[in-house]
């Protein structure tokens, strides 16, 4: 039997998709690149915000319309959150698989070819994997060559009032440090050059006994120390660190081991105290700017990505002006902006003072417009520097036959969300041309928009 995976969803869902693929492959299912060749199409869905939910459902509808004879399995967050309702309304899906049940993908897939519609398997409780945690590094990888996501935790206990993640993924559960390190070893043996540590909030990572400390350090610092003991040249990138419990002791580790990238994804969301308090957060503009100053003082090359949420209930024009002022002072390297999505089951769903969608969209556009020159100015500081770059893909050599042209990423660019590096190789003979997954060194010679241009000498 053959399957096609539509890996829709965020990078955290991508790891689930990779684990499902490993399970199916072990059961002698064959992954195909062309859905026309598949017996089953898996839609790995997202159910975090309204836009993502619509896109997930539309994906199911589109696949069923194009391939009415094929079985469609809706997996992931949307199935987890709305399975009962979807079983009744989304008859285009032949089966449903929750986040908590990815270890059941093989029996669920088998059942699809016995029953016509709406086969559903759900296992509640802690998220499990068809692969033992210590063997996750052996799974197929869906990203660009040379990079892999390592999920160190599942769920979240922050309970931000706007966020449906705890409703979908449950409370925070963390993997054992020994299992995470073993996965990293396996990935490095496969030639992976970049390990991206992810979770809903990795700043909240706890040790095996459920505490936030390990031998006098935060548990996250203990994990980084364990990874630092691994030999070889590779990158470690930290993604999604809640600012209210940022682990300051990781800064010394990053400062002393250049394999740990000084790149921080910190979702501040807002700046005014009453909006942050309504969101269930403890910080304010002053404390958050202080955190940024601490990071940049310790790590002058630090790159900061953040996200803002505009249009939250009660956000006034003055609140928005304070947020713009915070943006100006923070000078983020990268910034994503989202409008408030009213999610059932969250505390913010019934809050008063709702902001109109048009006003929220206007505020989003203003933030994005103001961020572009900030990002361009922040990227200018890298021009002239000699840096490593991770090659992701080749640009058609017919466009520039005299030199090799490639796309890749520098330490200041996280997968999928930031700008790119355009790499030119000065050797036309092909002897120095890299391949996807290679890490090479060159000089940043220019900034083009938000992208950087790198020259690899002959």
């Amino acid at each position: 039997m053959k399957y096609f995976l539509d890996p829709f969803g965020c990078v955290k869902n991508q790891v689930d998709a990779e684990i499902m693929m490993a399970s199916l492959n072990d059961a002698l299912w064959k992954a195909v690149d062309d859905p026309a060749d598949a017996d089953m199409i898996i839609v790995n869905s997202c159910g975090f915000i309204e836009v993502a939910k619509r896109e997930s459902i539309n994906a199911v509808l589109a696949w069923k319309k194009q391939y009415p004879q094929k079985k469609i399995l809706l997996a992931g967050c949307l199935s987890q959150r709305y399975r009962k309702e979807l079983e009744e309304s989304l008859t285009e899906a032949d089966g449903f698989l929750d986040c908590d049940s990815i270890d059941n993908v093989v029996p669920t897939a088998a059942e699809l070819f016995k029953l016509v519609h709406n086969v559903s398997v759900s296992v509640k409780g802690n998220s499990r994997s068809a692969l033992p945690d210590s063997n996750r590094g052996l799974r197929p990888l869906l990203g660009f060559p040379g990079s892999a996501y390592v999920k160190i935790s599942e769920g979240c206990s922050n309970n931000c009032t706007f966020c449906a993640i705890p409703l979908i993924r449950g409370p925070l559960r963390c993997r054992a440090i020994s299992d995470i390190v073993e996965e990293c070893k396996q990935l490095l043996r496969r030639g992976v050059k970049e390990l991206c540590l992810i979770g809903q909030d990795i700043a909240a990572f706890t040790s095996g006994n459920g505490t936030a400390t390990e031998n006098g350090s935060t548990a996250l610092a203990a994990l980084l120390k364990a990874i630092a003991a691994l030999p070889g040249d590779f990158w470690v990138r930290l993604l999604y660190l809640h600012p209210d419990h940022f682990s300051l002791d990781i800064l010394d580790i990053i400062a002393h081991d250049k394999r740990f990238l000084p790149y921080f994804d910190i979702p501040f969301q807002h700046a005014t105290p009453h909006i942050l308090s309504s969101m269930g957060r403890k910080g304010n503009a002053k404390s958050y700017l202080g955190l940024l100053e601490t990071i940049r003082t310790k790590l002058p090359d630090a790159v900061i990505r953040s996200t803002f949420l505009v249009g939250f209930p009660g956000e006034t024009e003055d609140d928005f002006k304070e947020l713009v002022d915070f943006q100006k002072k923070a000078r983020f390297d990268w910034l994503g902006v989202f409008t408030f999505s009213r999610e059932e089951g969250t505390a913010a769903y019934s809050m008063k003072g709702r902001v109109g969608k048009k006003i929220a969209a206007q505020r989003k556009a203003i933030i994005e417009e103001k961020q572009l020159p900030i990002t361009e100015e922040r990227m200018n500081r890298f021009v002239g520097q000699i840096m490593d770059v991770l090659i992701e893909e080749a640009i058609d050599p017919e466009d520039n036959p005299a030199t090799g042209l490639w796309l890749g990423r520098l330490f200041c660019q996280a997968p999928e969300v930031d700008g790119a590096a355009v790499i030119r190789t000065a050797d036309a003979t092909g002897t120095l041309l890299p391949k996807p997954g290679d890490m090479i060194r060159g000089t940043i010679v220019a900034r083009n928009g938000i992208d950087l241009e790198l020259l690899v000498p002959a």
Side-chain angles (χ1 to χ4, degrees):
M1 301 293 284
K2 300 176 182 178
Y3 71 94
F4 173 82
L5 178 68
D6 183 351
F8 180 84
C10 66
V11 296
K12 304 179 194 73
N13 288 2
Q14 178 178 309
V15 176
D16 288 350
E18 293 168 347
I19 292 172
M20 284 191 288
M21 290 183 69
S23 301
L24 289 166
N25 295 349
D26 285 347
L28 302 182
W29 284 72
K30 181 181 179 181
V32 294
D33 296 326
D34 187 345
D37 297 331
D39 300 293
M40 174 179 66
I41 296 175
I42 303 173
V43 177
N44 191 42
S45 67
C46 181
F48 180 45
I49 58 176
E50 186 62 33
V51 172
K53 288 184 282 189
R54 286 200 304 267
E55 290 179 354
S56 297
I57 291 173
N58 288 339
V60 172
L61 298 176
W63 285 123
K64 198 63 174 183
K65 182 178 180 180
Q66 186 173 2
Y67 300 108
Q69 303 305 316
K70 298 184 185 299
K71 302 297 184 184
I72 310 296
L73 175 61
L74 177 63
C77 292
L78 194 67
S79 177
Q80 177 80 27
R81 189 175 181 193
Y82 297 106
R83 182 170 57 89
K84 183 177 180 180
E85 296 90 331
L86 292 173
E87 285 175 340
E88 298 174 355
S89 62
L90 192 64
T91 57
E92 290 81 1
D94 299 289
F96 298 89
L97 187 69
D98 298 350
C99 302
D100 287 350
S101 308
I102 57 174
D103 54 339
N104 284 318
V105 65
V106 172
T108 301
E111 284 295 312
L112 289 184
F113 294 88
K114 299 177 184 178
L115 303 177
V116 177
H117 277 301
N118 297 332
V119 178
S120 179
V121 177
S122 179
V123 177
K124 299 300 180 184
N126 286 349
S127 178
R128 296 183 292 153
S129 163
L131 290 176
D133 271 3
S134 57
N135 287 333
R136 283 193 175 195
L138 304 177
R139 69 188 189 273
L141 300 176
L142 294 173
F144 283 107
S147 184
Y149 294 107
V150 179
K151 187 187 287 191
I152 68 172
S153 64
E154 182 62 277
C156 185
S157 297
N158 290 322
N159 293 311
C160 297
T161 60
F162 58 85
C163 184
I165 289 297
L167 301 175
I168 301 170
R169 295 279 179 170
L172 176 71
R173 291 97 66 202
C174 298
R175 297 173 60 195
I177 289 177
S178 58
D179 284 343
I180 298 169
V181 172
E182 181 59 31
E183 178 180 345
C184 291
K185 288 180 182 178
Q186 293 167 350
L187 291 168
L188 293 173
R189 284 197 291 264
R190 294 171 60 182
V192 168
K193 301 294 194 305
E194 177 186 45
L195 303 170
C196 297
L197 305 187
I198 63 169
Q200 273 71 38
D201 172 22
I202 68 170
F205 181 76
T206 60
S207 64
N209 59 10
T211 62
T213 58
E214 180 89 6
N215 297 325
S217 301
T218 63
L220 181 60
L223 171 61
L224 298 192
K225 290 176 183 177
I227 295 174
L230 299 177
D233 295 325
F234 53 89
W235 286 350
V236 179
R237 188 182 299 274
L238 310 181
L239 299 177
Y240 322 118
L241 295 135
H242 193 295
D244 289 350
H245 37 83
F246 186 95
S247 306
L248 291 176
D249 57 352
I250 68 175
L251 299 180
D252 281 333
I253 299 171
I254 295 171
H256 289 99
D257 190 333
K258 300 304 180 185
R259 299 176 300 178
F260 293 93
L261 303 182
Y263 180 104
F264 303 93
D265 189 335
I266 310 173
F268 289 102
Q269 306 298 5
H270 218 280
T272 60
H274 86 95
I275 292 294
L276 286 165
S277 178
S278 294
M279 289 180 170
R281 291 176 166 234
K282 301 177 182 178
N284 54 56
K286 182 178 180 181
S287 66
Y288 288 164
L289 290 172
L291 173 60
L292 292 174
E293 182 179 4
T294 298
I295 294 171
R296 287 166 171 162
T297 298
K298 189 72 175 181
L299 300 166
D301 291 332
V303 170
I304 310 291
R305 161 171 276 280
S306 191
T307 53
F308 284 174
L309 177 60
V310 296
F312 188 82
E315 184 187 59
T316 65
E317 192 61 35
D318 285 341
D319 293 326
F320 179 66
K321 288 179 180 177
E322 287 190 47
L323 182 62
V324 171
D325 182 64
F326 175 66
Q327 175 191 17
K328 180 180 178 180
K329 293 176 180 176
R331 304 199 66 75
F332 299 111
D333 297 87
W334 307 102
L335 179 66
V337 192
F338 300 89
T339 57
F340 173 69
S341 178
R342 193 164 171 252
E343 296 298 316
E344 306 96 323
T346 65
Y349 182 81
S350 57
M351 286 184 178
K352 298 180 180 180
R354 290 168 60 184
V355 177
K357 290 184 178 181
K358 184 176 181 180
I359 293 174
Q362 290 172 342
R363 291 174 179 175
K364 177 178 184 290
I366 290 170
I367 293 287
E368 290 174 335
E369 181 181 5
K370 291 182 178 296
Q371 182 59 37
L372 182 58
I374 296 174
T375 293
E376 290 176 339
E377 186 271 332
R378 294 292 293 171
M379 292 300 105
N380 281 340
R381 63 196 170 114
F382 297 117
V383 176
Q385 293 190 29
I386 298 173
M387 300 175 68
D388 291 328
V389 61
L390 178 61
I391 303 296
E392 289 191 332
E393 58 182 320
I395 300 175
D396 190 347
E398 294 181 1
D399 292 340
N400 195 341
T403 61
L405 274 177
W406 305 81
L407 288 178
R409 287 183 297 103
L410 302 153
F411 91 89
C412 56
Q413 299 161 332
E416 303 183 38
V417 293
D418 299 333
V422 179
I423 302 105
R424 291 189 290 113
T425 56
D427 176 30
T429 67
T431 57
L432 294 180
L433 295 185
K435 63 181 184 297
D438 283 351
M439 187 90 74
I440 62 175
R441 201 164 180 79
T443 302
I444 309 298
V445 295
R447 174 187 59 78
N448 297 312
I450 61 172
D451 297 331
L452 294 169
E453 185 176 333
L454 183 140
L455 177 64
V456 177

